[in-house]
Amino acid sequence: MLAARPYRAPSMIVAALALLLVAGLLTAALGTSSTAAAGTSGSLSVSPRTYVAGQEATFSGSLGRSGRRTIHLEQHMGRPGDSWARIEGFRTTTDSSGRFRFSYPAPAMFNIRYRVRSGAVATPSFTFRAKTQESLVTFSDRSPAPGQAFSVVVDTAPQVGGRQDLPPPVFPGRLVDLQERSGSSWRTVATRATDNQGQVAFPVTRRSPGVVTYRARQHDWLAGGSVVGWHPSFPASVRVTGTASTQAAPAAVAPLRDGRVVPLGSAATRGGTTNASQVYGWNPALFDFAWERGESLTSPPMRGNLRRGGWLDSSDGTGRVSHYNGGLLFDSQFGNRGGRGDRGTTTATLRGNAQPYGRWEFRTRSWSMENNRRDYRLRIQLVPEDPAKRHCGANDVTVAELADHSTRLKMGVGSFGADRSWALTRSGVRLGDEAHNVAVEIARGHISWFLDGRIIGTVADASAVSGHAMTPRISLVGDGGREMNRTKAIFDWVRAWTPANGRHPSNGTRLQAGPLGRTC
């Protein structure tokens, strides 16, 4: 039997980012500024061609102009309306012939463009297409007997049909944890290093029959100037035979009641681009998680006035939370085509950056590959950071709850102290593959909800405000152990502000008050 030890997420990547800042290899990267048009000249190449986010990349080329010059990096996101923007904090110089060579970590986003610029001259752009970190867990025996040895095999460079973002490069010697699920959390039971093919095998013997679930967690990779964060696999289960055991069904999560239903109209269904923070002048941000480089789940935000905290993930079914294409991805199972194997609830909760009053905003989109089963519910909440204050959800604020094949957005809040709850449902909100910005403001005398920059709901009763320090929690909510529609949801960013700046609107549609219901 493998000896169990508690899992503690490493913080080495934070120190590595700081060292690169001092070395001038990584920019402050906490904001970008628009730049004027520039003429194109010279050349730019980037290596290696196969890389993951945060891996050290070498930029080389020429400005096509002689003389030693100061140069900067610029990026273009490639979306309609985007323009070239300087990556703040980074600069270096060319040699006397105008040539340059420097290192900088590769970005996470697919099809983002970088170029090198000096004054009115810029190189041609280079388009980045990062590979995705991945690990595939398989078993040498899918139904071993109690006491029979078997292997848990991890491939950190798998090839999967239809996935052009795979395989990622191999990092020989990268440490990998084998983690066993306990409830919905994970504990490390063994750690080994990958071989030259990126694989590692863990010998396991289970003394008791039943279903056991594992995942692999690749450690931070900081060799050679890279800042590649740790990364988890999907859960994988094996049944140790000998009894008619069944996998325990995940605990059910009570649905938010509909409350009052109010239509939104067509303007809100086209995918929002307006932020409540811009409309109401909330800046500067307290924190801004954007996952643009090689961060891990537990990395602090790259922008904001209080850059601390990280996300704790959990899963009691088949899903996981991971970084993908510059966002935080909630995914109900491994693979692309659906089929059986979409069960349980997957959650990420921010720890270490809570506040009792303030504003929070989330940009998200979701899509489903199936429509013949039950929909997952994408639930965005604020919860008391102190678990003792939660009372089984009695003090939670639901910023938004949506489903892919529905056009309803639910919002609400509960108050354990007042023994009351408030709820509202908006119709006409399409989630499926359309982006939306959802936000909430908690003030001392009211709570207001926002969709795509517009206020849509308000509770003006001060008893709805708990006064507890609140933190974001995002969940892809299943129906216990029942099969669900294959679903993905990605968050481009999660931001927060203090209540100090801007307007405090409270003129949204009033939420309907009602009894709190069952608590614990």
Side-chain angles (χ1 to χ4, degrees):
M1 186 74 172
L2 296 172
R5 54 186 176 87
Y7 162 58
R8 294 179 176 86
S11 58
M12 294 185 296
I13 194 168
V14 179
L17 289 166
L19 288 172
L20 288 176
L21 280 166
V22 173
L25 296 178
L26 182 63
T27 78
L30 305 176
T32 58
S33 58
S34 297
T35 60
T40 301
S41 177
S43 62
L44 173 63
S45 64
V46 179
S47 62
R49 290 289 181 154
T50 301
Y51 57 87
V52 294
Q55 187 174 343
E56 184 184 50
T58 299
F59 293 69
S60 58
S62 172
L63 279 177
R65 300 287 192 276
S66 61
R68 186 177 297 274
R69 298 168 184 263
T70 299
I71 54 177
H72 302 272
L73 267 177
E74 291 184 332
Q75 68 177 18
H76 195 293
M77 299 294 289
R79 302 166 302 195
D82 284 337
S83 58
W84 285 102
R86 179 180 294 182
I87 297 176
E88 297 293 345
F90 177 87
R91 67 177 183 180
T92 187
T93 58
T94 68
D95 63 18
S96 58
S97 67
R99 300 194 64 80
F100 55 83
R101 184 180 178 86
F102 59 86
S103 296
Y104 189 82
M109 294 77 77
F110 301 161
N111 299 319
I112 185 174
R113 289 181 288 156
Y114 278 19
R115 70 181 184 182
V116 175
R117 177 169 174 170
S118 178
V121 178
T123 67
S125 64
F126 179 88
T127 301
F128 284 88
R129 296 181 177 88
K131 296 292 186 179
T132 301
Q133 289 202 80
E134 190 56 272
S135 50
L136 182 61
V137 175
T138 58
F139 302 97
S140 61
D141 190 335
R142 294 289 303 185
S143 56
Q148 176 186 343
F150 64 98
S151 293
V152 182
V153 181
V154 181
D155 184 357
T156 64
Q159 299 189 43
V160 179
R163 290 282 301 274
Q164 295 184 356
D165 61 319
L166 297 178
V170 172
F171 299 121
R174 187 176 188 179
L175 293 178
V176 177
D177 292 333
L178 178 65
Q179 297 187 319
E180 182 180 330
R181 183 154 66 193
S182 176
S184 62
S185 59
W186 302 94
R187 63 189 182 100
T188 298
V189 296
T191 302
R192 290 193 168 195
T194 58
D195 60 20
N196 290 335
Q197 284 73 48
Q199 297 187 354
V200 58
F202 296 90
V204 177
T205 302
R206 302 289 303 186
R207 300 299 179 187
S208 302
V211 174
V212 59
T213 301
Y214 295 102
R215 78 171 184 181
R217 191 192 67 86
Q218 301 182 68
H219 281 217
D220 296 338
W221 181 257
L222 307 177
S226 294
V227 283
V228 179
W230 65 266
H231 195 272
S233 73
F234 280 90
S237 298
V238 62
R239 181 184 298 277
V240 180
T241 59
T243 185
S245 61
T246 58
Q247 188 169 6
V253 182
L256 186 72
R257 61 191 178 88
D258 275 1
R260 200 172 155 201
V261 179
V262 182
L264 269 176
S266 61
T269 65
R270 293 193 291 267
T273 58
T274 304
N275 306 336
S277 59
Q278 297 170 337
V279 173
Y280 297 102
W282 295 342
N283 286 322
L286 180 72
F287 62 73
D288 180 357
F289 286 91
W291 303 289
E292 295 173 357
R293 291 178 171 80
E295 303 98 324
S296 63
L297 285 171
T298 48
S299 294
M302 289 294 289
R303 289 183 281 269
N305 289 335
L306 191 60
R307 296 176 211 139
R308 72 183 188 194
W311 295 82
L312 176 67
D313 67 308
S314 64
S315 172
D316 60 17
T318 57
R320 79 166 175 196
V321 186
S322 64
H323 290 166
Y324 179 81
N325 191 18
L328 191 65
L329 179 67
F330 292 71
D331 201 344
S332 62
Q333 67 152 296
F334 185 85
N336 278 329
R337 297 182 176 85
R340 295 193 60 81
D342 301 278
R343 299 183 306 276
T345 295
T346 302
T347 299
T349 305
L350 179 62
R351 301 191 301 176
N353 208 328
Q355 56 178 344
Y357 310 101
R359 297 84 168 230
W360 295 259
E361 192 161 23
F362 309 75
R363 180 167 178 81
T364 185
R365 62 189 187 278
S366 174
W367 59 103
S368 178
M369 296 77 158
E370 298 175 305
N371 60 10
N372 59 340
R373 301 183 185 275
R374 290 175 176 251
D375 269 337
Y376 279 97
R377 287 171 285 140
L378 180 60
R379 181 180 289 167
I380 305 167
Q381 296 175 295
L382 297 178
V383 302
E385 186 175 46
D386 182 356
K389 308 293 186 182
R390 294 178 185 170
H391 302 289
C392 294
N395 287 318
D396 294 351
V397 176
T398 298
V399 183
E401 182 177 296
L402 312 99
D404 272 282
H405 298 103
S406 171
T407 59
R408 291 188 170 191
L409 181 152
K410 298 181 181 181
M411 66 199 85
V413 59
S415 170
F416 182 77
D419 194 26
R420 300 287 282 170
S421 67
W422 295 260
L424 179 69
T425 298
R426 285 281 188 173
S427 64
V429 185
R430 182 172 298 281
L431 179 62
D433 209 19
E434 290 189 6
H436 289 290
N437 302 325
V438 295
V440 70
E441 175 184 75
I442 300 179
R444 292 184 181 273
H446 73 268
I447 304 175
S448 289
W449 285 258
F450 306 83
L451 173 67
D452 299 331
R454 292 193 297 149
I455 186 169
I456 58 171
T458 295
V459 171
D461 190 333
S463 68
V465 182
S466 70
H468 301 312
M470 306 294 282
T471 193
R473 180 173 69 192
I474 304 169
S475 304
L476 193 62
V477 182
D479 185 9
R482 297 185 66 169
E483 182 73 14
M484 310 294 289
N485 284 328
R486 175 83 169 90
T487 302
K488 297 183 180 185
I490 194 165
F491 286 77
D492 293 328
W493 43 258
V494 175
R495 298 168 181 163
W497 299 262
T498 71
N501 299 311
R503 291 180 284 158
H504 300 263
S506 58
N507 60 337
T509 301
R510 292 300 191 257
L511 274 66
Q512 183 181 51
L516 181 59
R518 182 177 59 86
T519 62
C520 62

